[in-house]
Amino acid sequence: MRFLSFLSGAALVLAGCSNGLNILMSNDDGFGSGNLRELYKMLRADGHNVYIVAPATQQSSQGGRSVFTDEPMLTTNSIYDLVKAGAPSLGTDPIDTHIWYYNGTPAACVFVGLDYVLPNFADFSVPDLVVTGPNFGTNLGPFVWTLSGTAGAAYAATGRGIPAIALSGSNNAVPYFLVKNESSPAYLVASVANRVVKSIINSVPVSVLKRDVGETRTILPLGYGLNVNIPPLFADNYTNIQVVHTRMTGDADTNEAVPNPDKPGTFTWANIEPLAPGVNACINGNCTLPGETYVVNTLGLVSLSLYTVDYTAPESEETKEVVKWFTTGNVFTTSVKAMPIHKHSRRFTA
Ligand SMILES: *[C@@H]1O[C@H](CO)[C@@H](O)[C@H](O)[C@H]1NC(C)=O
Ligand SMILES: *[C@@H]1O[C@H](CO)[C@@H](O)[C@H](O)[C@H]1NC(C)=O
Ligand SMILES: *[C@@H]1O[C@H](CO)[C@@H](O)[C@H](O)[C@H]1NC(C)=O
């Protein structure tokens, strides 16, 4: 145990003031979000070099859509009127040049950050980590995972080879300038998010965190990211809230269409009851882990699920059976040898 505690102590030092990570943050609630700004301040206070590139306007439910504006100038005021119509579609916050807005979807903001803002305006080009959120409202289960812009920004980064953590809280939207003190829900959510991010970074072995000048740190295996959800928090006990290893499926919701009683001829949505089997099928990963929806909504604890960007079905008996049908039925009319690059999978290297 002495050896282990030595390692985590060393990792702590490495991630400390003089050796923080290069971090890009984004979200879907917009660059004026109280949650985003509180976590940004905390990550900077911990010695990380942090830039935000986040949507100029509210971009919830965009999932991983990558939409770039055709307009060089904003045609409406930004969120909370922080920047006025007529300003450039990409620019910095009026009072902080590390905070950028862009008039696009969350995934587009990540791409503009990676391909334009960081290379041209930061002292690093490729971040060690992308942190998205904390979102206003949870993002639980497979159905929401593909809808959420906070998730979309995270998996856009992971797809580019950058580890990402999507964070979501259970609090209501609040502009950053109304977060006045440490009793604000945005402060509580950011504190828990910061604690989780810090514990993740500190858990990474020194050999993995180590880098040569100009290299990025690989804090997660290639193509991996994390989805973290935070339940409602209470000022008197939020500091010791527990974090549980979860999976995305399990007690997960999905929608059903419901005729809208207030507007005949239209529909609205509801969470289907009983729970739908598809979003709760355990196909990948450890099926004995609890679902994130259960852990957050029922137990009131923090969930942490690992995701990968490889949506391909696993090499299971079910997959083999389907492939057998298709092969026997001549669905595949030819076969092609995989290029080595397609099998590329970089693991931790010292
Ligand atoms: C914190 O700020 C809120 C909102 O401005 C205010 O209502 C509350 O009284 C403040 N609490 C403390 C302890 O200052
Ligand atoms: C925290 O406090 C709230 C309300 O005071 C309570 O409902 C909740 O169960 C507490 N959580 C823990 C983990 O103690
Ligand atoms: C699956 O998760 C359970 C519960 O956390 C754990 O005890 C078990 O070791 C895990 N199995 C594998 C193969 O990782």
Side-chain angles (χ1 to χ4, degrees):
M1 289 330 283
R2 183 172 290 274
F3 181 62
L4 278 181
S5 57
F6 161 75
L7 264 187
S8 55
L12 195 84
V13 170
L14 199 59
C17 286
S18 59
N19 237 329
L21 299 186
N22 295 325
I23 297 177
L24 173 65
M25 295 186 77
S26 194
N27 73 351
D28 67 12
D29 297 309
F31 78 114
S33 153
N35 283 7
L36 175 76
R37 300 281 188 111
E38 287 301 301
L39 181 56
Y40 164 79
K41 284 193 283 185
M42 293 173 191
L43 291 171
R44 291 192 77 173
D46 278 345
H48 302 296
N49 192 6
V50 191
Y51 282 79
I52 293 175
V53 181
T57 60
Q58 170 56 248
Q59 293 284 325
S60 286
S61 305
Q62 294 284 8
R65 295 180 74 210
S66 180
V67 181
F68 301 95
T69 183
D70 286 335
E71 302 284 347
M73 304 296 172
L74 296 181
T75 55
T76 58
N77 287 358
S78 79
I79 191 156
Y80 308 137
D81 300 328
L82 296 174
V83 178
K84 302 284 189 260
S89 284
L90 171 69
T92 57
D93 178 80
I95 55 176
D96 186 335
T97 57
H98 275 234
I99 300 177
W100 291 66
Y101 66 85
Y102 173 63
N103 190 15
T105 56
C109 287
V110 167
F111 296 138
V112 167
L114 294 178
D115 300 323
Y116 185 76
V117 173
L118 297 180
N120 289 300
F121 300 97
D123 48 4
F124 61 92
S125 289
V126 183
D128 300 313
L129 177 65
V130 167
V131 172
T132 68
N135 192 65
F136 297 129
T138 53
N139 286 305
L140 295 163
F143 179 71
V144 177
W145 178 248
T146 54
L147 286 184
S148 158
T150 295
Y155 57 74
T158 317
R160 290 282 295 265
I162 300 158
I165 306 174
L167 298 155
S168 303
S170 296
N171 61 326
N172 294 326
V174 59
Y176 82 91
F177 49 83
L178 293 184
V179 180
K180 302 283 192 204
N181 56 46
E182 299 186 359
S183 32
S184 165
Y187 178 87
L188 305 189
V189 165
S191 298
V192 171
N194 185 44
R195 204 187 81 209
V196 174
V197 170
K198 193 188 291 208
S199 72
I200 291 164
I201 294 170
N202 288 347
S203 75
V204 180
V206 179
S207 58
V208 173
L209 265 182
K210 202 173 62 184
R211 65 172 166 192
D212 293 327
V213 175
E215 285 184 346
T216 55
R217 288 180 169 146
T218 311
I219 74 155
L220 291 172
L222 186 62
Y224 278 67
L226 305 173
N227 185 35
V228 174
N229 277 277
I230 298 167
L233 299 172
F234 303 91
D236 52 348
N237 62 15
Y238 79 97
T239 51
N240 48 25
I241 190 161
Q242 307 294 310
V243 180
V244 181
H245 183 192
T246 51
R247 49 177 298 106
M248 289 195 177
T249 59
D251 290 273
D253 290 312
T254 191
N255 282 2
E256 64 177 334
V258 183
N260 184 349
D262 299 329
K263 205 171 180 188
T266 69
F267 292 88
T268 184
W269 63 272
N271 284 331
I272 195 166
E273 295 281 356
L275 298 178
V279 287
N280 287 298
C282 183
I283 295 172
N284 288 307
N286 185 338
C287 294
T288 70
L289 293 175
E292 56 192 13
T293 310
Y294 171 71
V295 163
V296 174
N297 286 351
T298 306
L299 302 185
L301 303 176
V302 177
S303 67
L304 192 162
S305 302
L306 277 72
Y307 70 82
T308 71
V309 286
D310 189 350
Y311 298 169
T312 311
E315 192 72 337
S316 62
E317 288 311 311
E318 287 80 1
T319 303
K320 284 179 194 154
E321 187 66 16
V322 172
V323 171
K324 200 168 89 189
W325 302 338
F326 291 178
T327 305
T328 309
N330 294 316
V331 173
F332 307 119
T333 57
T334 187
S335 64
V336 172
K337 201 169 164 15
M339 298 291 287
I341 185 93
H342 294 151
K343 294 186 222 152
H344 177 72
S345 171
R346 187 164 51 107
R347 301 294 305 187
F348 290 142
T349 48

